[in-house]
Amino acid sequence: MTVAALGAYLHVHWEAIKQALLEGRYRPKPVRRVEIPKPDGGVRKLGIPTVVDRFIQQLVLQVLQRRWDPTCSEHSYGFRPGRSAQQAVAHAQQYIAEGYGTVVDLDLEKFFDRVHHDRLMSRIATRVTDKRVLRLIRAYLNAGVMENGLVSPTEEGTPQGGPRSPLVSNIVLDDLDREREQRGHRFVRYADDANIDVTSERAGRRVLRRLTTFIEQRLKLTVNRAKSAVAPPKERQFLGFSFTSGPEIRRRIAPHALARFKQRVRTLTNRNRGRSMETVVEQRAPYLNGWGGYVGFCQTRSVLQGLDSWIRRRLRCVIWTQWKTPRRRITELSRRGVHGDEAVSTAMSSHGPWRLSHSKAVQVAVPTAHFTTRGLPRLDVMVCR
């Protein structure tokens, strides 16, 4: 069933579903396993619920959210009303500016796959007394996973992909937040991504050692020792950002986020695909708007200006390749304001598209306005002021 078909389905079947929920008879379906590649290699396993189960999870989530959110730590920003990843990054930046120049970067290994069901249910039961609701939540945890047509039981973990997963991260890790508050740590958490800022590497290693013991013994989770580290903030990334060093701490786009973006743009602007520039821009604009809307929170506008220039150069390569023959190239260059020997020498050049895309003739023929009028977003105008 598609999301679009849900309304009509509920119109017919909601009373029966509601009665099953009230009588404790409702049984969720197994989630469908979907794997998506991780940026740093490997795959992330998602569990996609049926549309009806997703709808019911959302109902439960909205009630639980109201009960948990008011008591969550002020240092927790993930999946909470009125809070965002950008606010979390700004909070971390504030700590660094205050002199906490070493970061403890804690990575929880396969967090959602390792959530302890009994511990999670005991936490929920402290605020939910209706046993029907508790049984329903337990049923979702134990619904199983369908992969290649076979259903496997789930004895631990809560698959990412359903509405309940974000709230689960806040419920499970609330104890960790309280522990860090009691120890006086300067920390910021977004879901299972957390940084603690300290004044020295020695203090950072002590914090990492003690929190690792707490997480593994009390929360029954696993710290990824290979990915966790104690380092200067400029050497680590937090939610796609890192920070400059020096007297003025500024937010910048993390190197790995830049590399991922460039690789995606290379794929989207493959010169071997025969499409009009309008089509190319129309298909790429949503990605550029979404990415730019997020990383525009950086404070290094020159980086976004450089990316804008690089994207336009990639698109000029596409146009140059589409012109194909020297005769067509001379005609197009001349028609667009490049005359005489310059049009001929550029069209007859033995240099490749990438080099020629940076030539004066091609930039005159295909100026920045050519892409702007076709709806290509400008990343540099999205930057946080």
Side-chain angles (χ1 to χ4, degrees):
M1 186 190 303
T2 64
V3 173
L6 178 62
Y9 180 86
L10 292 178
H11 184 74
V12 176
H13 299 282
W14 174 244
E15 285 303 322
I17 295 172
K18 175 182 175 182
Q19 197 62 31
L21 288 167
L22 292 174
E23 295 175 2
R25 296 183 289 102
Y26 184 83
R27 291 294 176 266
K29 301 291 191 298
V31 297
R32 180 167 58 89
R33 174 69 76 210
V34 175
E35 295 182 351
I36 59 174
K38 287 185 176 182
D40 54 353
V43 295
R44 175 175 285 109
K45 294 185 177 183
L46 303 183
I48 310 302
T50 67
V51 176
V52 174
D53 281 333
R54 215 177 311 169
F55 174 73
I56 296 172
Q57 282 190 35
Q58 184 65 32
L59 297 177
V60 176
L61 169 67
Q62 289 177 195
V63 175
L64 295 183
Q65 186 91 52
R66 289 197 297 268
R67 297 189 181 187
W68 251 275
D69 191 72
T71 62
C72 283
S73 170
E74 285 300 307
H75 304 273
S76 168
Y77 287 87
F79 310 108
R80 297 181 60 192
R83 290 177 167 243
S84 67
Q86 287 94 334
Q87 290 174 336
V89 173
H91 196 161
Q93 179 185 13
Q94 179 183 340
Y95 286 143
I96 299 168
E98 290 172 356
Y100 297 89
T102 300
V103 63
V104 181
D105 189 355
L106 260 176
D107 185 271
L108 299 180
E109 185 174 353
K110 297 181 178 179
F111 168 72
F112 287 98
D113 295 335
R114 300 279 171 82
V115 170
H116 194 276
H117 287 183
D118 290 341
R119 181 174 180 81
L120 172 61
M121 291 305 303
S122 68
R123 296 284 287 121
I124 295 175
T126 61
R127 304 191 193 187
V128 176
T129 58
D130 192 320
K131 295 190 181 300
R132 295 169 300 178
V133 177
L134 294 174
R135 283 196 297 268
L136 178 64
I137 296 173
R138 171 73 80 167
Y140 272 115
L141 292 173
N142 297 334
V145 176
M146 177 178 287
E147 191 169 9
N148 298 322
L150 300 176
V151 177
S152 303
T154 48
E155 297 177 354
E156 67 174 357
T158 173
Q160 298 181 71
R164 74 173 185 269
S165 298
L167 180 62
V168 164
S169 68
N170 286 335
I171 293 175
V172 171
L173 296 177
D174 189 58
D175 285 348
L176 178 59
D177 293 342
R178 300 307 174 193
E179 178 70 13
R180 286 185 284 215
E181 287 176 345
Q182 289 180 6
R183 294 173 182 261
H185 292 164
R186 274 76 176 173
F187 73 93
V188 182
R189 181 176 67 80
Y190 190 93
D192 60 329
D193 201 343
N195 278 0
I196 305 103
D197 294 285
V198 295
T199 55
S200 68
E201 182 178 349
R202 181 179 178 183
R205 297 198 177 281
R206 182 176 64 250
V207 167
L208 179 59
R209 184 173 61 254
R210 292 177 177 176
L211 286 181
T212 297
T213 300
F214 177 85
I215 290 168
E216 296 186 340
Q217 293 185 0
R218 292 277 299 277
L219 302 185
K220 308 302 181 185
L221 299 171
T222 303
V223 173
N224 189 327
R225 288 166 171 77
K227 293 185 177 181
S228 298
V230 177
K234 67 178 181 179
E235 296 179 8
R236 307 299 293 179
Q237 72 87 26
F238 182 52
L239 302 177
F241 293 91
S242 60
F243 303 95
T244 62
S245 55
E248 183 183 359
I249 306 300
R250 294 189 299 163
R251 301 181 296 271
R252 63 174 185 171
I253 306 170
H256 87 281
L258 279 175
R260 275 207 329 262
F261 172 77
K262 285 194 166 187
Q263 184 55 45
R264 180 73 183 275
V265 171
R266 288 188 184 99
T267 302
L268 296 175
T269 56
N270 190 319
R271 296 197 299 271
N272 296 325
R273 300 177 180 178
R275 296 158 299 176
S276 68
M277 185 50 53
E278 287 76 8
T279 300
V280 172
V281 170
E282 181 183 354
Q283 293 176 348
R284 279 61 192 157
Y287 174 68
L288 296 178
N289 275 322
W291 192 83
Y294 180 72
V295 303
F297 189 61
C298 75
Q299 295 171 311
T300 49
R301 185 173 185 175
S302 60
V303 174
L304 295 180
Q305 290 173 330
L307 287 175
D308 276 329
S309 177
W310 178 77
I311 292 169
R312 290 192 293 270
R313 188 172 177 182
R314 293 275 313 173
L315 294 175
R316 290 188 181 104
C317 282
V318 173
I319 293 172
W320 186 255
T321 303
Q322 289 177 346
W323 288 347
K324 292 184 179 179
T325 66
R327 181 184 295 275
R328 171 78 184 278
R329 289 168 178 171
I330 292 173
T331 300
E332 293 291 346
L333 290 173
S334 300
R335 185 170 67 86
R336 297 163 183 256
V338 182
H339 300 295
D341 293 342
E342 188 174 11
V344 174
S345 62
T346 303
M348 301 300 293
S349 173
S350 60
H351 294 306
W354 178 249
R355 179 162 177 177
L356 289 173
S357 67
H358 199 52
S359 67
K360 178 182 177 182
V362 174
Q363 290 188 69
V364 168
V366 192
T368 298
H370 177 85
F371 303 110
T372 303
T373 57
R374 284 159 177 77
L376 183 71
R378 289 277 301 272
L379 299 176
D380 65 329
V381 301
M382 301 181 192
V383 70
C384 180
R385 307 247 178 217

